CSV table of all heavy atoms in Angstrom, one decimal:
chain,number,residue,atom,x,y,z
A,233,VAL,N,0.9,-1.2,0.0
A,233,VAL,CA,0.0,0.0,0.0
A,233,VAL,C,0.9,1.2,0.0
A,233,VAL,O,1.6,1.5,1.0
A,233,VAL,CB,-0.9,0.0,1.2
A,233,VAL,CG1,-1.7,1.3,1.3
A,233,VAL,CG2,-1.9,-1.2,1.2
A,234,LYS,N,0.9,2.0,-1.1
A,234,LYS,CA,1.8,3.1,-1.3
A,234,LYS,C,1.1,4.4,-0.9
A,234,LYS,O,1.7,5.4,-0.4
A,234,LYS,CB,2.2,3.3,-2.7
A,234,LYS,CG,3.1,2.1,-3.2
A,234,LYS,CD,4.4,2.0,-2.4
A,234,LYS,CE,5.3,0.9,-3.0
A,234,LYS,NZ,6.6,0.9,-2.3
A,235,HIS,N,-0.3,4.5,-1.1
A,235,HIS,CA,-1.0,5.7,-0.8
A,235,HIS,C,-2.4,5.3,-0.4
A,235,HIS,O,-3.0,4.4,-1.0
A,235,HIS,CB,-1.0,6.6,-2.0
A,235,HIS,CG,-1.9,7.8,-1.9
A,235,HIS,ND1,-1.5,8.9,-1.1
A,235,HIS,CD2,-3.1,8.2,-2.4
A,235,HIS,CE1,-2.4,9.8,-1.1
A,235,HIS,NE2,-3.4,9.4,-1.9
A,236,LEU,N,-2.9,6.0,0.6
A,236,LEU,CA,-4.3,5.7,1.1
A,236,LEU,C,-5.2,6.9,0.8
A,236,LEU,O,-5.1,7.9,1.5
A,236,LEU,CB,-4.3,5.4,2.6
A,236,LEU,CG,-5.6,5.0,3.2
A,236,LEU,CD1,-6.2,3.8,2.6
A,236,LEU,CD2,-5.5,4.8,4.7
A,237,ALA,N,-6.0,6.7,-0.2
A,237,ALA,CA,-6.9,7.8,-0.6
A,237,ALA,C,-8.2,7.7,0.2
A,237,ALA,O,-8.6,6.6,0.6
A,237,ALA,CB,-7.2,7.7,-2.1
A,238,PHE,N,-8.9,8.8,0.3
A,238,PHE,CA,-10.2,8.8,1.0
A,238,PHE,C,-11.2,8.3,0.1
A,238,PHE,O,-11.3,8.7,-1.1
A,238,PHE,CB,-10.5,10.2,1.5
A,238,PHE,CG,-11.5,10.3,2.5
A,238,PHE,CD1,-11.3,10.0,3.8
A,238,PHE,CD2,-12.8,10.7,2.2
A,238,PHE,CE1,-12.2,10.1,4.8
A,238,PHE,CE2,-13.8,10.8,3.2
A,238,PHE,CZ,-13.5,10.5,4.5
A,239,PRO,N,-12.1,7.4,0.5
A,239,PRO,CA,-13.1,6.8,-0.4
A,239,PRO,C,-14.0,7.9,-1.1
A,239,PRO,O,-14.5,8.8,-0.4
A,239,PRO,CB,-14.0,6.0,0.6
A,239,PRO,CG,-13.1,5.7,1.7
A,239,PRO,CD,-12.3,6.9,1.9
A,240,LYS,N,-14.1,7.7,-2.4
A,240,LYS,CA,-14.9,8.6,-3.2
A,240,LYS,C,-16.4,8.1,-3.2
A,240,LYS,O,-17.3,8.9,-3.3
A,240,LYS,CB,-14.4,8.8,-4.6
A,240,LYS,CG,-13.0,9.5,-4.6
A,240,LYS,CD,-12.5,9.6,-6.0
A,240,LYS,CE,-11.1,10.2,-6.0
A,240,LYS,NZ,-10.6,10.3,-7.4
A,241,LYS,N,-16.6,6.8,-3.2
A,241,LYS,CA,-17.9,6.3,-3.4
A,241,LYS,C,-18.6,6.2,-2.0
A,241,LYS,O,-18.0,5.8,-1.0
A,241,LYS,CB,-17.8,4.9,-4.0
A,241,LYS,CG,-17.4,4.8,-5.4
A,241,LYS,CD,-17.4,3.5,-6.0
A,241,LYS,CE,-17.0,3.5,-7.5
A,241,LYS,NZ,-17.1,2.2,-8.1
A,242,LYS,N,-19.8,6.7,-1.9
A,242,LYS,CA,-20.5,6.8,-0.6
A,242,LYS,C,-20.6,5.4,0.0
A,242,LYS,O,-20.5,5.3,1.2
A,242,LYS,CB,-21.9,7.5,-0.9
A,242,LYS,CG,-21.8,8.9,-1.4
A,242,LYS,CD,-23.2,9.5,-1.6
A,242,LYS,CE,-23.1,10.9,-2.1
A,242,LYS,NZ,-22.5,11.1,-3.4
A,243,LEU,N,-21.0,4.4,-0.8
A,243,LEU,CA,-21.2,3.1,-0.2
A,243,LEU,C,-19.9,2.5,0.5
A,243,LEU,O,-19.9,1.9,1.5
A,243,LEU,CB,-21.6,2.1,-1.3
A,243,LEU,CG,-22.2,0.8,-0.8
A,243,LEU,CD1,-23.4,1.0,0.1
A,243,LEU,CD2,-22.6,-0.1,-2.0
A,244,VAL,N,-18.7,2.8,-0.2
A,244,VAL,CA,-17.4,2.4,0.4
A,244,VAL,C,-17.1,3.2,1.7
A,244,VAL,O,-16.7,2.6,2.7
A,244,VAL,CB,-16.3,2.6,-0.7
A,244,VAL,CG1,-14.9,2.3,0.0
A,244,VAL,CG2,-16.5,1.7,-1.9
A,245,LEU,N,-17.4,4.5,1.7
A,245,LEU,CA,-17.2,5.3,2.9
A,245,LEU,C,-18.0,4.8,4.0
A,245,LEU,O,-17.5,4.7,5.2
A,245,LEU,CB,-17.5,6.8,2.6
A,245,LEU,CG,-17.4,7.8,3.7
A,245,LEU,CD1,-16.0,7.7,4.4
A,245,LEU,CD2,-17.7,9.2,3.3
A,246,LEU,N,-19.3,4.5,3.8
A,246,LEU,CA,-20.2,4.0,4.9
A,246,LEU,C,-19.6,2.7,5.4
A,246,LEU,O,-19.7,2.5,6.7
A,246,LEU,CB,-21.6,3.9,4.3
A,246,LEU,CG,-22.3,5.2,4.0
A,246,LEU,CD1,-23.6,4.9,3.2
A,246,LEU,CD2,-22.7,5.9,5.4
A,247,GLN,N,-19.1,1.8,4.6
A,247,GLN,CA,-18.6,0.6,5.1
A,247,GLN,C,-17.3,0.8,5.8
A,247,GLN,O,-17.0,0.1,6.8
A,247,GLN,CB,-18.3,-0.4,3.9
A,247,GLN,CG,-19.6,-0.9,3.2
A,247,GLN,CD,-19.3,-1.8,2.0
A,247,GLN,OE1,-19.0,-2.9,2.1
A,247,GLN,NE2,-19.4,-1.2,0.8
A,248,MET,N,-16.5,1.8,5.4
A,248,MET,CA,-15.3,2.1,6.2
A,248,MET,C,-15.6,2.5,7.6
A,248,MET,O,-15.0,2.1,8.6
A,248,MET,CB,-14.5,3.2,5.5
A,248,MET,CG,-13.2,3.5,6.1
A,248,MET,SD,-12.3,4.9,5.4
A,248,MET,CE,-13.3,6.3,6.0
A,249,LEU,N,-16.6,3.4,7.8
A,249,LEU,CA,-17.1,3.8,9.1
A,249,LEU,C,-17.6,2.6,9.9
A,249,LEU,O,-17.3,2.5,11.1
A,249,LEU,CB,-18.2,4.9,9.0
A,249,LEU,CG,-17.7,6.2,8.3
A,249,LEU,CD1,-19.0,7.1,8.1
A,249,LEU,CD2,-16.7,6.9,9.2
A,250,GLU,N,-18.3,1.7,9.2
A,250,GLU,CA,-18.9,0.5,9.9
A,250,GLU,C,-17.7,-0.4,10.4
A,250,GLU,O,-17.8,-0.9,11.5
A,250,GLU,CB,-19.8,-0.2,8.9
A,250,GLU,CG,-20.5,-1.4,9.5
A,250,GLU,CD,-21.2,-2.2,8.4
A,250,GLU,OE1,-20.8,-2.1,7.2
A,250,GLU,OE2,-22.2,-2.8,8.7
A,251,TYR,N,-16.7,-0.6,9.5
A,251,TYR,CA,-15.6,-1.5,9.9
A,251,TYR,C,-14.8,-0.9,11.1
A,251,TYR,O,-14.4,-1.6,11.9
A,251,TYR,CB,-14.7,-1.6,8.7
A,251,TYR,CG,-15.1,-2.7,7.7
A,251,TYR,CD1,-16.4,-2.9,7.3
A,251,TYR,CD2,-14.1,-3.6,7.2
A,251,TYR,CE1,-16.8,-3.9,6.4
A,251,TYR,CE2,-14.5,-4.6,6.3
A,251,TYR,CZ,-15.8,-4.7,5.9
A,251,TYR,OH,-16.2,-5.7,5.0
A,252,SER,N,-14.7,0.5,11.0
A,252,SER,CA,-14.0,1.1,12.1
A,252,SER,C,-14.6,0.9,13.5
A,252,SER,O,-14.0,0.6,14.5
A,252,SER,CB,-13.8,2.6,11.9
A,252,SER,OG,-13.1,2.9,10.7
A,253,ARG,N,-16.0,1.0,13.4
A,253,ARG,CA,-16.8,0.8,14.7
A,253,ARG,C,-16.7,-0.6,15.2
A,253,ARG,O,-16.6,-0.9,16.4
A,253,ARG,CB,-18.2,1.2,14.4
A,253,ARG,CG,-19.1,1.2,15.7
A,253,ARG,CD,-20.5,1.7,15.4
A,253,ARG,NE,-21.2,1.0,14.3
A,253,ARG,CZ,-21.5,1.5,13.1
A,253,ARG,NH1,-21.3,2.8,12.9
A,253,ARG,NH2,-22.1,0.8,12.3
A,254,SER,N,-16.7,-1.5,14.3
A,254,SER,CA,-16.6,-3.0,14.6
A,254,SER,C,-15.3,-3.4,15.1
A,254,SER,O,-15.1,-3.9,16.2
A,254,SER,CB,-17.1,-3.8,13.5
A,254,SER,OG,-17.0,-5.2,13.8
A,255,PHE,N,-14.2,-3.2,14.3
A,255,PHE,CA,-12.9,-3.7,14.6
A,255,PHE,C,-12.2,-2.9,15.7
A,255,PHE,O,-11.4,-3.5,16.4
A,255,PHE,CB,-12.1,-3.7,13.3
A,255,PHE,CG,-12.4,-4.9,12.4
A,255,PHE,CD1,-13.3,-4.7,11.4
A,255,PHE,CD2,-11.8,-6.1,12.6
A,255,PHE,CE1,-13.6,-5.7,10.5
A,255,PHE,CE2,-12.2,-7.2,11.7
A,255,PHE,CZ,-13.1,-7.0,10.7
A,256,LEU,N,-12.4,-1.6,15.8
A,256,LEU,CA,-11.8,-0.8,16.8
A,256,LEU,C,-12.6,-0.6,18.0
A,256,LEU,O,-12.3,0.2,18.9
A,256,LEU,CB,-11.3,0.5,16.2
A,256,LEU,CG,-10.2,0.4,15.1
A,256,LEU,CD1,-10.0,1.7,14.5
A,256,LEU,CD2,-9.0,-0.2,15.7
A,257,GLY,N,-13.8,-1.3,18.1
A,257,GLY,CA,-14.7,-1.2,19.2
A,257,GLY,C,-14.9,-2.6,19.9
A,257,GLY,O,-14.2,-3.0,20.7
A,258,SER,N,-15.9,-3.2,19.4
A,258,SER,CA,-16.4,-4.5,20.0
A,258,SER,C,-15.3,-5.6,20.0
A,258,SER,O,-15.2,-6.3,21.0
A,258,SER,CB,-17.7,-5.0,19.3
A,258,SER,OG,-17.4,-5.3,18.0
A,259,ARG,N,-14.6,-5.7,19.0
A,259,ARG,CA,-13.6,-6.8,18.9
A,259,ARG,C,-12.4,-6.6,19.9
A,259,ARG,O,-11.9,-7.6,20.5
A,259,ARG,CB,-13.1,-7.0,17.5
A,259,ARG,CG,-14.3,-7.4,16.5
A,259,ARG,CD,-13.9,-8.1,15.3
A,259,ARG,NE,-15.0,-8.3,14.4
A,259,ARG,CZ,-15.0,-9.0,13.3
A,259,ARG,NH1,-13.9,-9.6,12.9
A,259,ARG,NH2,-16.0,-9.1,12.5
A,260,LEU,N,-12.0,-5.4,20.0
A,260,LEU,CA,-11.0,-5.1,21.0
A,260,LEU,C,-11.5,-5.2,22.4
A,260,LEU,O,-10.8,-5.6,23.4
A,260,LEU,CB,-10.3,-3.7,20.8
A,260,LEU,CG,-9.6,-3.5,19.5
A,260,LEU,CD1,-8.9,-2.1,19.5
A,260,LEU,CD2,-8.5,-4.6,19.3
A,261,PHE,N,-12.8,-4.8,22.6
A,261,PHE,CA,-13.5,-5.0,23.9
A,261,PHE,C,-13.5,-6.5,24.3
A,261,PHE,O,-13.2,-6.8,25.5
A,261,PHE,CB,-14.9,-4.4,23.8
A,261,PHE,CG,-15.7,-4.7,25.0
A,261,PHE,CD1,-15.4,-4.3,26.3
A,261,PHE,CD2,-16.9,-5.5,24.9
A,261,PHE,CE1,-16.2,-4.6,27.4
A,261,PHE,CE2,-17.7,-5.8,25.9
A,261,PHE,CZ,-17.4,-5.4,27.2
A,262,PHE,N,-13.9,-7.3,23.4
A,262,PHE,CA,-14.0,-8.7,23.7
A,262,PHE,C,-12.6,-9.3,24.0
A,262,PHE,O,-12.5,-10.4,24.6
A,262,PHE,CB,-14.6,-9.5,22.6
A,262,PHE,CG,-16.1,-9.4,22.5
A,262,PHE,CD1,-16.7,-9.0,21.3
A,262,PHE,CD2,-16.9,-9.6,23.6
A,262,PHE,CE1,-18.1,-8.9,21.2
A,262,PHE,CE2,-18.3,-9.5,23.5
A,262,PHE,CZ,-18.9,-9.1,22.4
A,263,ASN,N,-11.5,-8.7,23.6
A,263,ASN,CA,-10.2,-9.2,23.9
A,263,ASN,C,-10.0,-9.3,25.4
A,263,ASN,O,-9.2,-10.1,25.9
A,263,ASN,CB,-9.1,-8.2,23.3
A,263,ASN,CG,-8.8,-8.5,21.9
A,263,ASN,OD1,-9.4,-9.4,21.3
A,263,ASN,ND2,-8.0,-7.6,21.3
A,264,GLY,N,-10.6,-8.4,26.2
A,264,GLY,CA,-10.4,-8.3,27.6
A,264,GLY,C,-10.7,-9.6,28.3
A,264,GLY,O,-10.1,-9.8,29.4
A,265,PHE,N,-11.6,-10.4,27.8
A,265,PHE,CA,-11.9,-11.7,28.5
A,265,PHE,C,-11.9,-12.8,27.5
A,265,PHE,O,-12.6,-13.8,27.7
A,265,PHE,CB,-13.3,-11.5,29.2
A,265,PHE,CG,-14.4,-11.0,28.3
A,265,PHE,CD1,-15.2,-11.9,27.6
A,265,PHE,CD2,-14.7,-9.6,28.3
A,265,PHE,CE1,-16.3,-11.4,26.9
A,265,PHE,CE2,-15.7,-9.2,27.5
A,265,PHE,CZ,-16.5,-10.0,26.8
A,266,SER,N,-11.2,-12.6,26.4
A,266,SER,CA,-11.1,-13.7,25.4
A,266,SER,C,-12.4,-14.1,24.9
A,266,SER,O,-12.7,-15.3,24.7
A,266,SER,CB,-10.3,-14.9,25.9
A,266,SER,OG,-10.0,-15.8,24.9
A,267,GLY,N,-13.3,-13.1,24.6
A,267,GLY,CA,-14.7,-13.4,24.3
A,267,GLY,C,-15.0,-13.2,22.8
A,267,GLY,O,-16.1,-13.3,22.4
């Protein structure tokens, strides 16, 4: 990955926000008790 551009397509941007909420939220939270 040489350059990270901001998503131009609305559907891609919405999924990026969704992935951020999931992977940097609930999945790290479940790490606390191996859940």
Side-chain angles (χ1 to χ4, degrees):
V233 176
K234 297 293 187 181
H235 176 72
L236 181 59
F238 198 75
K240 295 179 181 179
K241 295 186 178 181
K242 297 180 178 62
L243 193 62
V244 174
L245 174 55
L246 288 166
Q247 290 175 84
M248 184 186 74
L249 294 171
E250 184 188 29
Y251 276 43
S252 297
R253 185 174 59 244
S254 175
F255 283 93
L256 294 175
S258 60
R259 300 202 185 188
L260 294 185
F261 167 65
F262 283 129
N263 279 357
F265 51 92
S266 188

